[in-house]
Amino acid sequence: MRPFTYSRATDPSSAIKMLAQNPNARFLAGGTNLLDLMKEDVERPNALIDISELGLSDIKPIAAGTNQGGISLGGLGKNTDTANHLLVRQNYPLLTQAILAGASGQLRNMATNGGNLLQRTRCPYFYEVAMPCNKREPGTGCGAKEGINRMHAIFGWSEQCVAVYPSDMAVALAALDAVVKVRNADGQERSIPIADFHRLPGDKPEQDTNLPHGELITAIELPKNRFADKSYYLKVRDRASYAFALVSVAAALEMDPSDESGKRIKAVRIAMGGVAHKPWRALKAEQLLVGKEATDANFKLAATAEMADAKPLEHNAFKVELGNRSIVLALQMAMNGGKA
């Protein structure tokens, strides 16, 4: 690990100003990803600004504004506290399931909500500094594209990068139409829809998000919805715990109350993880299902429509069929209230 200075911020404004003044500084909260990257010499900050004591950890109802009736998750709230909070468990069980599917209990105790959104890919070519990687060192090439790419993207990749985004939490947030609240050095606050927060690699794979240096995630807002009783997070991985997704699916359904059969879909949200450089909203599948009956046949049609645009690499063609089956199973589980 390279030398760096350490300072502890006492309030959000001073923290943001310190970061904005130094392009090589980084915020330190839980540190569960950043410190690993520093040890591997992938990240080389010359200064760490500890923001762990700024507050910004409350989970509370939103009383007014665009997302009135929803809840606000503090950017520095711990993943464990968020997953187990009564408001989240009762109203957004999809988020609870996704958080608990990720990492380990020890890591969730340390990891923050904002930090979870900002974690970087676990592509082994990104972590191995002896290998070419456009994300780590732009212009050197993408080692994974012609290398071993079993874990890599099947949607949205470019010639510059085929890495996938690792978070489980963010996949659920994508399905729940979350909004990320951020603050800059001038004290101005703005809102970023979760769909616009993360980026596809394009020709700038080194940029994971649309959050400029010098801004701080203060909260994540979840709008009110009617998905609580019919939602499910499915994670397919190589082992049962402490592993990143080969494919994951966050699925949520709202049924049409005017339909006597109770099977007609009024609204649906589907997001996928392990398949792209950002949480992948399955918009084609969603559009196909709205107004249809929640049947296995319709679920299969929707999954097939979504996966038709997949572009697998040499070693991950299995993800196309796996994604197809995972969408169907997640929708079936959601329809049954999480029961097989």
Side-chain angles (χ1 to χ4, degrees):
M1 187 181 291
R2 298 177 184 236
F4 60 89
T5 62
Y6 169 87
S7 56
R8 176 170 290 173
T10 56
D11 62 83
S13 295
S14 63
I16 297 167
K17 288 178 181 177
M18 283 191 284
L19 187 76
Q21 290 169 358
N22 182 352
N24 292 317
R26 298 289 185 273
F27 283 144
L28 174 67
T32 57
N33 186 210
L34 176 61
L35 294 181
D36 283 345
L37 292 169
M38 292 173 64
K39 291 174 184 177
E40 297 290 341
D41 205 31
V42 175
E43 290 272 4
R44 303 170 181 177
N46 61 19
L48 294 183
I49 303 163
D50 189 336
I51 57 173
S52 61
E53 296 186 2
L54 297 186
L56 302 177
S57 60
D58 290 346
I59 299 174
K60 57 189 178 184
I62 300 172
T66 304
N67 292 320
Q68 182 178 356
I71 64 172
S72 173
L73 313 173
L76 291 176
K78 302 296 187 183
N79 283 180
T80 294
D81 296 335
T82 300
N84 292 318
H85 196 281
L86 185 61
L87 284 174
V88 178
R89 295 183 72 91
Q90 287 184 341
N91 300 296
Y92 305 91
L94 181 64
L95 179 58
T96 293
Q97 293 172 21
I99 293 174
L100 295 180
S104 65
Q106 295 93 330
L107 288 170
R108 293 192 297 267
N109 287 343
M110 291 297 296
T112 63
N113 296 329
N116 191 300
L117 292 184
L118 295 173
Q119 66 179 298
R120 309 208 69 186
T121 182
R122 295 319 196 275
C123 173
Y125 295 89
F126 174 67
Y127 268 77
E128 176 48 72
V129 295
M131 298 297 293
C133 174
N134 287 319
K135 180 177 288 296
R136 175 174 24 83
E137 191 174 351
T140 58
C142 176
K145 188 173 183 299
E146 304 300 332
I148 299 172
N149 44 45
R150 176 176 178 269
M151 297 289 292
H152 291 72
I154 57 174
F155 290 115
W157 54 267
S158 71
E159 294 295 320
Q160 302 298 314
C161 181
V162 297
V164 296
Y165 175 68
S167 171
D168 292 291
M169 178 182 181
V171 178
L173 292 175
L176 294 168
D177 296 314
V179 176
V180 184
K181 310 290 286 188
V182 303
R183 186 184 305 173
N184 65 19
D186 296 327
Q188 297 175 329
E189 296 188 349
R190 65 188 182 105
S191 300
I192 308 174
I194 191 70
D196 298 328
F197 186 81
H198 297 98
R199 295 169 47 93
L200 292 177
D203 59 359
K204 293 185 177 180
E206 70 276 14
Q207 295 183 13
D208 293 342
T209 73
N210 289 311
L211 185 73
H213 186 82
E215 290 193 336
L216 172 68
I217 297 174
T218 57
I220 302 165
E221 292 189 350
L222 296 175
K224 185 178 180 180
N225 64 54
R226 300 179 187 274
F227 296 132
D229 62 341
K230 292 189 182 301
S231 61
Y232 190 73
Y233 186 74
L234 175 69
K235 183 176 183 178
V236 183
R237 46 189 163 176
D238 284 327
R239 58 178 184 263
S241 67
Y242 200 49
F244 295 100
L246 291 167
V247 171
S248 65
V249 180
L253 295 163
E254 178 188 349
M255 311 315 293
D256 187 345
S258 67
D259 177 47
E260 293 182 0
S261 71
K263 293 184 178 180
R264 192 169 303 282
I265 300 170
K266 180 180 179 180
V268 58
R269 299 289 186 274
I270 306 168
M272 303 182 72
V275 297
H277 196 261
K278 60 183 288 185
W280 187 263
R281 270 292 286 271
L283 296 175
K284 286 188 175 181
E286 291 179 6
Q287 292 166 3
L288 193 149
L289 286 171
V290 173
K292 305 287 179 57
E293 287 195 350
T295 64
D296 289 352
N298 283 333
F299 292 163
K300 290 176 182 178
L301 286 172
T304 299
E306 187 62 42
M307 300 308 297
D309 291 335
K311 295 180 179 179
L313 302 163
E314 182 178 359
H315 302 120
N316 67 2
F318 72 94
K319 282 194 177 188
V320 180
E321 181 62 22
L322 182 60
N324 204 316
R325 293 173 183 242
S326 296
I327 291 173
V328 173
L329 180 56
L331 287 166
Q332 290 171 335
M333 296 291 287
M335 184 62 187
N336 294 327
K339 299 177 182 178

